[in-house]
């Protein structure tokens, strides 16, 4: 079956702008894959760092001179900016000669695609675990202004090439937006006797965070059990429950991104059941990390997306956002050799900018010392999107997400507290305090119930 890609017309503007250059210019195609079709929303020229640490757009005289290292750095920065469910779908190449007609150039194409696939597999926290199975390469002739698209099966070692239908569309794609917030509020214990710093345990933190998200129950507009249900069906259910007339339903369909096109995701964290208490193991931790604050999430999905795809996208967005913050924060740390027994790390807050052509929100991260002008420059450099400071929207307040490290010897503290308790005489049985607290809790619950019933 031939892959079909529907591309927003703004991508054509990017290709035309690049085609005035001599030589070959590579770039990433950004969008959302699906079984029936891929939707491309944006294209960004790949940049590389220069000796003075400024970046410049990549352009070479010969196609074979494009370096895989240029893709590695920019691919990660671009992926950090995407919401869950959005990916780098592949590459575009603008140049004078057909890159698919020459065997050496075709070999280079496969090498570039393999680089994207390898990088994406190496870090599921940033790139996600639901990567496209087929990556596309769009060639745009700088001379004839014609384009040719091919699809590469990345799961096939020979990376077989297939034709792909690339269609520019004038009407922007309709999207459903899903909003949610995830409260961090958790604790990660450590049992190593050696002091462990944030940079050293980053991936352990991310794996712990991923497990917590996977263990949660997600509800989209209060629905979670009908995984194959499309978002459009869920939207119709909400309209019917709201008692809207058929005439008004049609009006809502034509208005675009209005209230009924926004879904709410609720997250339920499983607690410890009383019956499971006896199964818990008690250990002596040497240190801990407290997660505090919350993560704001806004994801976008095509109209045929299912409930399961929506939940996967929300999970991926939360994990990607948390991983991006840890990466950026660790890169900003000058030293990680503090002798303090505890330290608080304030992770950068999430800000978004709107892509005017598609309506999609792209993400960046802002430290307290950063300004909106810094974000404007960053978005221009990484995504090639022009925005004004007024269009930079903060989804979270300052210092919203933070991690607190406590690397003191918890075991010694526990022993000291135990010894201190042994020195205090008591004629009452040890179970007395437990029963007292239990009785007080019951009295408090009854009092609250009576208060609300009266």
């Amino acid at each position: 079956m031939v892959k079909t890609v529907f591309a927003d017309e703004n991508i054509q503007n990017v290709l035309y702008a690049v085609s005035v250059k001599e030589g070959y210019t590579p770039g990433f195609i950004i969008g959302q894959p699906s079984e029936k079709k891929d939707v491309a929303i944006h294209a960004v020229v790949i940049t590389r760092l220069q000796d003075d640490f400024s970046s410049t757009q990549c352009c070479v005289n010969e196609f074979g001179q494009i370096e895989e290292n240029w893709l590695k750095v920019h691919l990660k920065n671009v992926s950090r900016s995407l919401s869950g469910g959005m990916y780098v779908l592949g590459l575009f190449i603008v140049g004078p000669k057909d890159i698919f007609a020459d065997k050496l150039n075709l070999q280079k194409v496969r090498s570039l695609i393999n680089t994207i696939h390898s990088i994406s597999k190496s870090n599921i926290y940033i790139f996600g675990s639901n990567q496209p199975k087929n990556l596309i390469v769009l060639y745009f002739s700088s001379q004839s202004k014609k384009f040719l698209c091919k699809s590469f099966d990345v799961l096939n070692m020979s990376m077989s090439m297939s034709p792909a239908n690339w269609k520019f569309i004038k009407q922007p794609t309709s999207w459903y937006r899903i909003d949610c917030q995830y409260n961090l509020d958790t604790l990660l214990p450590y049992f190593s006797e050696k002091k462990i710093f944030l940079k050293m345990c980053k991936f352990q933190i991310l794996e712990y965070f991923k497990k917590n998200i996977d263990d949660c129950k997600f509800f989209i507009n209060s629905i979670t059990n009908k995984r194959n249900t499309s978002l459009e069906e869920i939207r119709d259910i909400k309209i019917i429950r709201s008692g809207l007339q058929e005439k008004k339903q049609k009006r809502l369909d034509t208005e675009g991104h209005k209230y009924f096109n926004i879904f709410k995701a609720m997250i339920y964290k499983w607690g410890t059941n009383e019956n499971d208490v006896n199964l818990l193991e008690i250990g002596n931790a040497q240190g801990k990390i407290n997660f505090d604050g919350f993560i704001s999430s806004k994801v976008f999905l095509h109209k045929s997306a299912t409930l399961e795809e929506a939940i996967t996208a929300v999970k991926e967005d939360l994990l990607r956002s948390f991983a991006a913050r840890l990466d950026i924060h660790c890169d900003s740390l000058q030293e990680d050799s503090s002798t303090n027994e505890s330290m608080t790390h304030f992770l950068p807050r999430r800000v978004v900018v709107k892509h005017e052509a598609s309506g999609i929100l792209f993400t960046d991260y802002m430290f307290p010392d950063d300004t909106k002008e810094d974000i404007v420059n960053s978005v221009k450099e990484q995504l090639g999107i022009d925005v004004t400071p007024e269009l930079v929207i903060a989804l979270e307040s300052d210092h919203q997400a933070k991690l607190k490290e406590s690397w003191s010897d918890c075991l010694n503290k526990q022993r000291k507290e135990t010894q201190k308790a042994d020195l205090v005489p008591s004629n009452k049985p040890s179970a007395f305090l437990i029963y007292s607290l239990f009785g007080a809790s019951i009295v408090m619950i009854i009092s609250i119930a009576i208060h609300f019933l009266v």
Side-chain angles (χ1 to χ4, degrees), residues 6 8 31-33 38-41 85-86 172-178 231 256-258 261-263 299-303 357-360:
F6 288 97
D8 284 357
Q32 190 167 98
D38 288 357
V39 181
I41 61 170
M86 295 290 176
T173 303
S174 296
W175 299 95
Y176 286 133
R177 196 182 88 194
I178 301 176
L231 292 181
H257 302 286
K258 296 296 183 183
N261 281 9
I262 298 178
F263 295 75
V299 302
F300 297 82
L301 290 117
H302 54 83
K303 292 190 70 174
S358 63
I360 300 296

PDB file of all heavy atoms in Angstrom, residues 6 8 31-33 38-41 85-86 172-178 231 256-258 261-263 299-303 357-360:
ATOM      1  N   PHE A   6      -0.353  14.157   3.689  1.00  0.00           N
ATOM      2  CA  PHE A   6      -1.017  15.438   3.466  1.00  0.00           C
ATOM      3  C   PHE A   6      -0.210  16.523   4.167  1.00  0.00           C
ATOM      4  O   PHE A   6       0.009  16.452   5.383  1.00  0.00           O
ATOM      5  CB  PHE A   6      -2.451  15.408   4.000  1.00  0.00           C
ATOM      6  CG  PHE A   6      -3.379  14.564   3.177  1.00  0.00           C
ATOM      7  CD1 PHE A   6      -3.662  13.258   3.537  1.00  0.00           C
ATOM      8  CD2 PHE A   6      -3.961  15.079   2.032  1.00  0.00           C
ATOM      9  CE1 PHE A   6      -4.513  12.475   2.780  1.00  0.00           C
ATOM     10  CE2 PHE A   6      -4.809  14.301   1.258  1.00  0.00           C
ATOM     11  CZ  PHE A   6      -5.092  12.999   1.631  1.00  0.00           C
ATOM     12  N   ASP A   8       0.608  20.617   5.040  1.00  0.00           N
ATOM     13  CA  ASP A   8       0.132  21.997   5.072  1.00  0.00           C
ATOM     14  C   ASP A   8       0.905  22.836   4.053  1.00  0.00           C
ATOM     15  O   ASP A   8       2.109  22.634   3.852  1.00  0.00           O
ATOM     16  CB  ASP A   8       0.307  22.590   6.472  1.00  0.00           C
ATOM     17  CG  ASP A   8      -0.749  22.073   7.445  1.00  0.00           C
ATOM     18  OD1 ASP A   8      -1.625  21.315   6.995  1.00  0.00           O
ATOM     19  OD2 ASP A   8      -0.694  22.422   8.631  1.00  0.00           O
ATOM     20  N   GLY A  31       5.403  16.209  11.893  1.00  0.00           N
ATOM     21  CA  GLY A  31       3.977  15.955  11.773  1.00  0.00           C
ATOM     22  C   GLY A  31       3.528  14.782  12.612  1.00  0.00           C
ATOM     23  O   GLY A  31       4.195  14.386  13.569  1.00  0.00           O
ATOM     24  N   GLN A  32       2.394  14.219  12.230  1.00  0.00           N
ATOM     25  CA  GLN A  32       1.799  13.108  12.990  1.00  0.00           C
ATOM     26  C   GLN A  32       1.489  11.942  12.053  1.00  0.00           C
ATOM     27  O   GLN A  32       0.799  12.121  11.036  1.00  0.00           O
ATOM     28  CB  GLN A  32       0.519  13.574  13.674  1.00  0.00           C
ATOM     29  CG  GLN A  32      -0.050  12.585  14.660  1.00  0.00           C
ATOM     30  CD  GLN A  32      -1.121  13.220  15.527  1.00  0.00           C
ATOM     31  OE1 GLN A  32      -2.299  13.088  15.261  1.00  0.00           O
ATOM     32  NE2 GLN A  32      -0.707  13.927  16.583  1.00  0.00           N
ATOM     33  N   PRO A  33       2.006  10.754  12.366  1.00  0.00           N
ATOM     34  CA  PRO A  33       1.721   9.590  11.532  1.00  0.00           C
ATOM     35  C   PRO A  33       0.400   8.925  11.930  1.00  0.00           C
ATOM     36  O   PRO A  33      -0.072   9.079  13.055  1.00  0.00           O
ATOM     37  CB  PRO A  33       2.902   8.665  11.832  1.00  0.00           C
ATOM     38  CG  PRO A  33       3.262   8.987  13.251  1.00  0.00           C
ATOM     39  CD  PRO A  33       2.951  10.451  13.444  1.00  0.00           C
ATOM     40  N   ASP A  38      -0.194  10.151   6.786  1.00  0.00           N
ATOM     41  CA  ASP A  38       0.613  11.019   7.643  1.00  0.00           C
ATOM     42  C   ASP A  38       0.197  12.461   7.387  1.00  0.00           C
ATOM     43  O   ASP A  38      -0.174  12.818   6.269  1.00  0.00           O
ATOM     44  CB  ASP A  38       2.104  10.854   7.344  1.00  0.00           C
ATOM     45  CG  ASP A  38       2.643   9.523   7.839  1.00  0.00           C
ATOM     46  OD1 ASP A  38       1.870   8.766   8.460  1.00  0.00           O
ATOM     47  OD2 ASP A  38       3.824   9.234   7.591  1.00  0.00           O
ATOM     48  N   VAL A  39       0.268  13.274   8.434  1.00  0.00           N
ATOM     49  CA  VAL A  39      -0.050  14.689   8.305  1.00  0.00           C
ATOM     50  C   VAL A  39       1.206  15.492   8.630  1.00  0.00           C
ATOM     51  O   VAL A  39       1.707  15.438   9.755  1.00  0.00           O
ATOM     52  CB  VAL A  39      -1.196  15.099   9.244  1.00  0.00           C
ATOM     53  CG1 VAL A  39      -1.520  16.580   9.064  1.00  0.00           C
ATOM     54  CG2 VAL A  39      -2.435  14.256   8.979  1.00  0.00           C
ATOM     55  N   ALA A  40       1.747  16.200   7.657  1.00  0.00           N
ATOM     56  CA  ALA A  40       2.944  17.029   7.845  1.00  0.00           C
ATOM     57  C   ALA A  40       2.508  18.465   8.107  1.00  0.00           C
ATOM     58  O   ALA A  40       1.717  19.028   7.332  1.00  0.00           O
ATOM     59  CB  ALA A  40       3.835  16.961   6.619  1.00  0.00           C
ATOM     60  N   ILE A  41       3.004  19.059   9.193  1.00  0.00           N
ATOM     61  CA  ILE A  41       2.562  20.403   9.573  1.00  0.00           C
ATOM     62  C   ILE A  41       3.651  21.462   9.446  1.00  0.00           C
ATOM     63  O   ILE A  41       3.353  22.653   9.346  1.00  0.00           O
ATOM     64  CB  ILE A  41       2.028  20.419  11.019  1.00  0.00           C
ATOM     65  CG1 ILE A  41       3.141  19.998  12.004  1.00  0.00           C
ATOM     66  CG2 ILE A  41       0.808  19.527  11.161  1.00  0.00           C
ATOM     67  CD1 ILE A  41       2.785  20.211  13.446  1.00  0.00           C
ATOM     68  N   GLY A  85       2.702  12.691  20.456  1.00  0.00           N
ATOM     69  CA  GLY A  85       2.010  12.316  19.232  1.00  0.00           C
ATOM     70  C   GLY A  85       2.597  12.939  17.982  1.00  0.00           C
ATOM     71  O   GLY A  85       2.243  12.539  16.866  1.00  0.00           O
ATOM     72  N   MET A  86       3.471  13.940  18.156  1.00  0.00           N
ATOM     73  CA  MET A  86       4.141  14.580  17.027  1.00  0.00           C
ATOM     74  C   MET A  86       5.572  14.050  16.927  1.00  0.00           C
ATOM     75  O   MET A  86       6.238  13.857  17.950  1.00  0.00           O
ATOM     76  CB  MET A  86       4.157  16.101  17.189  1.00  0.00           C
ATOM     77  CG  MET A  86       2.792  16.743  17.144  1.00  0.00           C
ATOM     78  SD  MET A  86       2.077  16.682  15.497  1.00  0.00           S
ATOM     79  CE  MET A  86       0.455  17.391  15.823  1.00  0.00           C
ATOM     80  N   PRO A 172      -6.153  24.031   6.354  1.00  0.00           N
ATOM     81  CA  PRO A 172      -5.403  23.444   7.474  1.00  0.00           C
ATOM     82  C   PRO A 172      -6.106  22.218   8.040  1.00  0.00           C
ATOM     83  O   PRO A 172      -7.335  22.131   8.040  1.00  0.00           O
ATOM     84  CB  PRO A 172      -5.370  24.579   8.506  1.00  0.00           C
ATOM     85  CG  PRO A 172      -5.614  25.827   7.725  1.00  0.00           C
ATOM     86  CD  PRO A 172      -6.517  25.430   6.598  1.00  0.00           C
ATOM     87  N   THR A 173      -5.329  21.264   8.507  1.00  0.00           N
ATOM     88  CA  THR A 173      -5.879  20.046   9.105  1.00  0.00           C
ATOM     89  C   THR A 173      -6.621  20.375  10.391  1.00  0.00           C
ATOM     90  O   THR A 173      -6.185  21.211  11.180  1.00  0.00           O
ATOM     91  CB  THR A 173      -4.743  19.054   9.402  1.00  0.00           C
ATOM     92  OG1 THR A 173      -4.032  18.791   8.189  1.00  0.00           O
ATOM     93  CG2 THR A 173      -5.274  17.755   9.964  1.00  0.00           C
ATOM     94  N   SER A 174      -7.755  19.703  10.605  1.00  0.00           N
ATOM     95  CA  SER A 174      -8.502  19.883  11.855  1.00  0.00           C
ATOM     96  C   SER A 174      -7.881  19.003  12.937  1.00  0.00           C
ATOM     97  O   SER A 174      -7.582  17.823  12.698  1.00  0.00           O
ATOM     98  CB  SER A 174      -9.974  19.505  11.654  1.00  0.00           C
ATOM     99  OG  SER A 174     -10.584  20.368  10.722  1.00  0.00           O
ATOM    100  N   TRP A 175      -7.729  19.568  14.114  1.00  0.00           N
ATOM    101  CA  TRP A 175      -7.090  18.852  15.222  1.00  0.00           C
ATOM    102  C   TRP A 175      -7.993  18.854  16.443  1.00  0.00           C
ATOM    103  O   TRP A 175      -8.753  19.788  16.674  1.00  0.00           O
ATOM    104  CB  TRP A 175      -5.754  19.504  15.600  1.00  0.00           C
ATOM    105  CG  TRP A 175      -4.749  19.515  14.497  1.00  0.00           C
ATOM    106  CD1 TRP A 175      -4.504  20.521  13.607  1.00  0.00           C
ATOM    107  CD2 TRP A 175      -3.857  18.453  14.144  1.00  0.00           C
ATOM    108  NE1 TRP A 175      -3.516  20.169  12.730  1.00  0.00           N
ATOM    109  CE2 TRP A 175      -3.094  18.899  13.025  1.00  0.00           C
ATOM    110  CE3 TRP A 175      -3.619  17.183  14.645  1.00  0.00           C
ATOM    111  CZ2 TRP A 175      -2.126  18.109  12.430  1.00  0.00           C
ATOM    112  CZ3 TRP A 175      -2.646  16.401  14.045  1.00  0.00           C
ATOM    113  CH2 TRP A 175      -1.918  16.857  12.956  1.00  0.00           C
ATOM    114  N   TYR A 176      -7.871  17.785  17.231  1.00  0.00           N
ATOM    115  CA  TYR A 176      -8.464  17.758  18.563  1.00  0.00           C
ATOM    116  C   TYR A 176      -7.352  18.021  19.571  1.00  0.00           C
ATOM    117  O   TYR A 176      -6.267  17.435  19.466  1.00  0.00           O
ATOM    118  CB  TYR A 176      -9.104  16.399  18.855  1.00  0.00           C
ATOM    119  CG  TYR A 176     -10.400  16.174  18.115  1.00  0.00           C
ATOM    120  CD1 TYR A 176     -10.628  14.972  17.446  1.00  0.00           C
ATOM    121  CD2 TYR A 176     -11.393  17.139  18.094  1.00  0.00           C
ATOM    122  CE1 TYR A 176     -11.817  14.744  16.770  1.00  0.00           C
ATOM    123  CE2 TYR A 176     -12.581  16.930  17.418  1.00  0.00           C
ATOM    124  CZ  TYR A 176     -12.787  15.733  16.765  1.00  0.00           C
ATOM    125  OH  TYR A 176     -13.961  15.520  16.099  1.00  0.00           O
ATOM    126  N   ARG A 177      -7.623  18.882  20.535  1.00  0.00           N
ATOM    127  CA  ARG A 177      -6.624  19.193  21.562  1.00  0.00           C
ATOM    128  C   ARG A 177      -7.027  18.556  22.884  1.00  0.00           C
ATOM    129  O   ARG A 177      -8.196  18.605  23.272  1.00  0.00           O
ATOM    130  CB  ARG A 177      -6.499  20.709  21.749  1.00  0.00           C
ATOM    131  CG  ARG A 177      -5.231  21.118  22.500  1.00  0.00           C
ATOM    132  CD  ARG A 177      -5.183  22.617  22.707  1.00  0.00           C
ATOM    133  NE  ARG A 177      -5.863  23.016  23.928  1.00  0.00           N
ATOM    134  CZ  ARG A 177      -6.210  24.274  24.212  1.00  0.00           C
ATOM    135  NH1 ARG A 177      -5.948  25.237  23.350  1.00  0.00           N
ATOM    136  NH2 ARG A 177      -6.825  24.571  25.331  1.00  0.00           N
ATOM    137  N   ILE A 178      -6.055  17.980  23.562  1.00  0.00           N
ATOM    138  CA  ILE A 178      -6.302  17.340  24.857  1.00  0.00           C
ATOM    139  C   ILE A 178      -5.428  18.016  25.904  1.00  0.00           C
ATOM    140  O   ILE A 178      -4.203  18.074  25.764  1.00  0.00           O
ATOM    141  CB  ILE A 178      -5.987  15.830  24.802  1.00  0.00           C
ATOM    142  CG1 ILE A 178      -6.846  15.168  23.730  1.00  0.00           C
ATOM    143  CG2 ILE A 178      -6.234  15.180  26.149  1.00  0.00           C
ATOM    144  CD1 ILE A 178      -6.555  13.712  23.516  1.00  0.00           C
ATOM    145  N   LEU A 231     -11.945   9.741  18.792  1.00  0.00           N
ATOM    146  CA  LEU A 231     -12.192  10.990  19.524  1.00  0.00           C
ATOM    147  C   LEU A 231     -13.442  11.696  18.997  1.00  0.00           C
ATOM    148  O   LEU A 231     -14.140  12.383  19.740  1.00  0.00           O
ATOM    149  CB  LEU A 231     -10.980  11.912  19.396  1.00  0.00           C
ATOM    150  CG  LEU A 231      -9.700  11.450  20.095  1.00  0.00           C
ATOM    151  CD1 LEU A 231      -8.593  12.475  19.894  1.00  0.00           C
ATOM    152  CD2 LEU A 231      -9.929  11.217  21.577  1.00  0.00           C
ATOM    153  N   GLY A 256     -14.596  25.010  13.784  1.00  0.00           N
ATOM    154  CA  GLY A 256     -13.178  24.726  14.027  1.00  0.00           C
ATOM    155  C   GLY A 256     -12.850  24.570  15.491  1.00  0.00           C
ATOM    156  O   GLY A 256     -13.566  23.909  16.236  1.00  0.00           O
ATOM    157  N   HIS A 257     -11.752  25.190  15.942  1.00  0.00           N
ATOM    158  CA  HIS A 257     -11.229  24.945  17.286  1.00  0.00           C
ATOM    159  C   HIS A 257     -12.041  25.694  18.332  1.00  0.00           C
ATOM    160  O   HIS A 257     -11.624  26.725  18.850  1.00  0.00           O
ATOM    161  CB  HIS A 257      -9.761  25.363  17.356  1.00  0.00           C
ATOM    162  CG  HIS A 257      -8.909  24.642  16.365  1.00  0.00           C
ATOM    163  ND1 HIS A 257      -8.552  23.330  16.507  1.00  0.00           N
ATOM    164  CD2 HIS A 257      -8.363  25.045  15.197  1.00  0.00           C
ATOM    165  CE1 HIS A 257      -7.817  22.950  15.475  1.00  0.00           C
ATOM    166  NE2 HIS A 257      -7.690  23.970  14.667  1.00  0.00           N
ATOM    167  N   LYS A 258     -13.205  25.167  18.643  1.00  0.00           N
ATOM    168  CA  LYS A 258     -14.052  25.739  19.668  1.00  0.00           C
ATOM    169  C   LYS A 258     -14.086  24.813  20.878  1.00  0.00           C
ATOM    170  O   LYS A 258     -13.345  23.835  20.960  1.00  0.00           O
ATOM    171  CB  LYS A 258     -15.471  25.976  19.120  1.00  0.00           C
ATOM    172  CG  LYS A 258     -15.512  27.008  17.985  1.00  0.00           C
ATOM    173  CD  LYS A 258     -15.088  28.390  18.460  1.00  0.00           C
ATOM    174  CE  LYS A 258     -15.202  29.418  17.362  1.00  0.00           C
ATOM    175  NZ  LYS A 258     -14.739  30.747  17.786  1.00  0.00           N
ATOM    176  N   ASN A 261     -14.052  20.985  20.726  1.00  0.00           N
ATOM    177  CA  ASN A 261     -12.885  20.354  20.116  1.00  0.00           C
ATOM    178  C   ASN A 261     -11.726  20.230  21.094  1.00  0.00           C
ATOM    179  O   ASN A 261     -10.633  19.832  20.730  1.00  0.00           O
ATOM    180  CB  ASN A 261     -12.425  21.134  18.884  1.00  0.00           C
ATOM    181  CG  ASN A 261     -13.293  20.833  17.678  1.00  0.00           C
ATOM    182  OD1 ASN A 261     -14.312  20.177  17.799  1.00  0.00           O
ATOM    183  ND2 ASN A 261     -12.897  21.303  16.525  1.00  0.00           N
ATOM    184  N   ILE A 262     -11.961  20.615  22.336  1.00  0.00           N
ATOM    185  CA  ILE A 262     -10.942  20.500  23.381  1.00  0.00           C
ATOM    186  C   ILE A 262     -11.397  19.441  24.381  1.00  0.00           C
ATOM    187  O   ILE A 262     -12.485  19.518  24.935  1.00  0.00           O
ATOM    188  CB  ILE A 262     -10.708  21.837  24.098  1.00  0.00           C
ATOM    189  CG1 ILE A 262     -10.200  22.888  23.099  1.00  0.00           C
ATOM    190  CG2 ILE A 262      -9.700  21.669  25.235  1.00  0.00           C
ATOM    191  CD1 ILE A 262      -9.991  24.257  23.701  1.00  0.00           C
ATOM    192  N   PHE A 263     -10.547  18.453  24.614  1.00  0.00           N
ATOM    193  CA  PHE A 263     -10.851  17.367  25.535  1.00  0.00           C
ATOM    194  C   PHE A 263     -10.061  17.563  26.832  1.00  0.00           C
ATOM    195  O   PHE A 263      -8.974  18.133  26.826  1.00  0.00           O
ATOM    196  CB  PHE A 263     -10.476  16.022  24.923  1.00  0.00           C
ATOM    197  CG  PHE A 263     -11.275  15.651  23.710  1.00  0.00           C
ATOM    198  CD1 PHE A 263     -11.035  16.257  22.479  1.00  0.00           C
ATOM    199  CD2 PHE A 263     -12.260  14.688  23.785  1.00  0.00           C
ATOM    200  CE1 PHE A 263     -11.760  15.912  21.366  1.00  0.00           C
ATOM    201  CE2 PHE A 263     -12.996  14.327  22.664  1.00  0.00           C
ATOM    202  CZ  PHE A 263     -12.748  14.944  21.463  1.00  0.00           C
ATOM    203  N   VAL A 299      -1.798  18.275  23.989  1.00  0.00           N
ATOM    204  CA  VAL A 299      -1.441  17.478  22.812  1.00  0.00           C
ATOM    205  C   VAL A 299      -2.515  17.632  21.739  1.00  0.00           C
ATOM    206  O   VAL A 299      -3.663  17.973  22.032  1.00  0.00           O
ATOM    207  CB  VAL A 299      -1.252  15.981  23.166  1.00  0.00           C
ATOM    208  CG1 VAL A 299      -0.194  15.807  24.221  1.00  0.00           C
ATOM    209  CG2 VAL A 299      -2.563  15.354  23.621  1.00  0.00           C
ATOM    210  N   PHE A 300      -2.113  17.371  20.496  1.00  0.00           N
ATOM    211  CA  PHE A 300      -3.004  17.532  19.352  1.00  0.00           C
ATOM    212  C   PHE A 300      -3.060  16.223  18.573  1.00  0.00           C
ATOM    213  O   PHE A 300      -2.022  15.609  18.307  1.00  0.00           O
ATOM    214  CB  PHE A 300      -2.500  18.660  18.440  1.00  0.00           C
ATOM    215  CG  PHE A 300      -2.492  20.009  19.106  1.00  0.00           C
ATOM    216  CD1 PHE A 300      -1.452  20.385  19.941  1.00  0.00           C
ATOM    217  CD2 PHE A 300      -3.534  20.900  18.901  1.00  0.00           C
ATOM    218  CE1 PHE A 300      -1.436  21.627  20.561  1.00  0.00           C
ATOM    219  CE2 PHE A 300      -3.535  22.140  19.516  1.00  0.00           C
ATOM    220  CZ  PHE A 300      -2.490  22.501  20.352  1.00  0.00           C
ATOM    221  N   LEU A 301      -4.279  15.818  18.208  1.00  0.00           N
ATOM    222  CA  LEU A 301      -4.452  14.580  17.454  1.00  0.00           C
ATOM    223  C   LEU A 301      -5.406  14.798  16.290  1.00  0.00           C
ATOM    224  O   LEU A 301      -6.333  15.611  16.364  1.00  0.00           O
ATOM    225  CB  LEU A 301      -4.992  13.469  18.355  1.00  0.00           C
ATOM    226  CG  LEU A 301      -3.965  12.987  19.383  1.00  0.00           C
ATOM    227  CD1 LEU A 301      -4.450  13.272  20.773  1.00  0.00           C
ATOM    228  CD2 LEU A 301      -3.651  11.523  19.202  1.00  0.00           C
ATOM    229  N   HIS A 302      -5.165  14.043  15.203  1.00  0.00           N
ATOM    230  CA  HIS A 302      -6.008  14.141  14.020  1.00  0.00           C
ATOM    231  C   HIS A 302      -7.405  13.592  14.321  1.00  0.00           C
ATOM    232  O   HIS A 302      -7.622  12.863  15.297  1.00  0.00           O
ATOM    233  CB  HIS A 302      -5.372  13.377  12.860  1.00  0.00           C
ATOM    234  CG  HIS A 302      -5.037  11.952  13.181  1.00  0.00           C
ATOM    235  ND1 HIS A 302      -5.959  10.934  13.107  1.00  0.00           N
ATOM    236  CD2 HIS A 302      -3.878  11.378  13.600  1.00  0.00           C
ATOM    237  CE1 HIS A 302      -5.392   9.793  13.446  1.00  0.00           C
ATOM    238  NE2 HIS A 302      -4.132  10.034  13.755  1.00  0.00           N
ATOM    239  N   LYS A 303      -8.371  13.891  13.477  1.00  0.00           N
ATOM    240  CA  LYS A 303      -9.778  13.606  13.761  1.00  0.00           C
ATOM    241  C   LYS A 303     -10.105  12.117  13.820  1.00  0.00           C
ATOM    242  O   LYS A 303     -11.080  11.725  14.465  1.00  0.00           O
ATOM    243  CB  LYS A 303     -10.670  14.287  12.711  1.00  0.00           C
ATOM    244  CG  LYS A 303     -10.654  15.803  12.795  1.00  0.00           C
ATOM    245  CD  LYS A 303     -11.707  16.422  11.910  1.00  0.00           C
ATOM    246  CE  LYS A 303     -13.091  16.161  12.456  1.00  0.00           C
ATOM    247  NZ  LYS A 303     -14.134  16.886  11.686  1.00  0.00           N
ATOM    248  N   ALA A 357       0.146  28.655  10.962  1.00  0.00           N
ATOM    249  CA  ALA A 357      -0.403  27.944   9.798  1.00  0.00           C
ATOM    250  C   ALA A 357      -1.265  26.756  10.209  1.00  0.00           C
ATOM    251  O   ALA A 357      -2.305  26.495   9.600  1.00  0.00           O
ATOM    252  CB  ALA A 357       0.733  27.483   8.893  1.00  0.00           C
ATOM    253  N   SER A 358      -0.844  26.016  11.242  1.00  0.00           N
ATOM    254  CA  SER A 358      -1.553  24.800  11.631  1.00  0.00           C
ATOM    255  C   SER A 358      -2.346  24.938  12.921  1.00  0.00           C
ATOM    256  O   SER A 358      -3.233  24.125  13.200  1.00  0.00           O
ATOM    257  CB  SER A 358      -0.550  23.643  11.792  1.00  0.00           C
ATOM    258  OG  SER A 358       0.358  23.919  12.840  1.00  0.00           O
ATOM    259  N   GLY A 359      -2.027  25.951  13.733  1.00  0.00           N
ATOM    260  CA  GLY A 359      -2.674  26.090  15.035  1.00  0.00           C
ATOM    261  C   GLY A 359      -2.047  25.237  16.115  1.00  0.00           C
ATOM    262  O   GLY A 359      -2.479  25.270  17.275  1.00  0.00           O
ATOM    263  N   ILE A 360      -1.010  24.455  15.773  1.00  0.00           N
ATOM    264  CA  ILE A 360      -0.332  23.589  16.734  1.00  0.00           C
ATOM    265  C   ILE A 360       0.563  24.426  17.648  1.00  0.00           C
ATOM    266  O   ILE A 360       1.167  25.409  17.227  1.00  0.00           O
ATOM    267  CB  ILE A 360       0.511  22.524  16.008  1.00  0.00           C
ATOM    268  CG1 ILE A 360      -0.379  21.660  15.125  1.00  0.00           C
ATOM    269  CG2 ILE A 360       1.280  21.658  16.986  1.00  0.00           C
ATOM    270  CD1 ILE A 360      -1.404  20.849  15.863  1.00  0.00           C
TER     271      ILE A 360
END
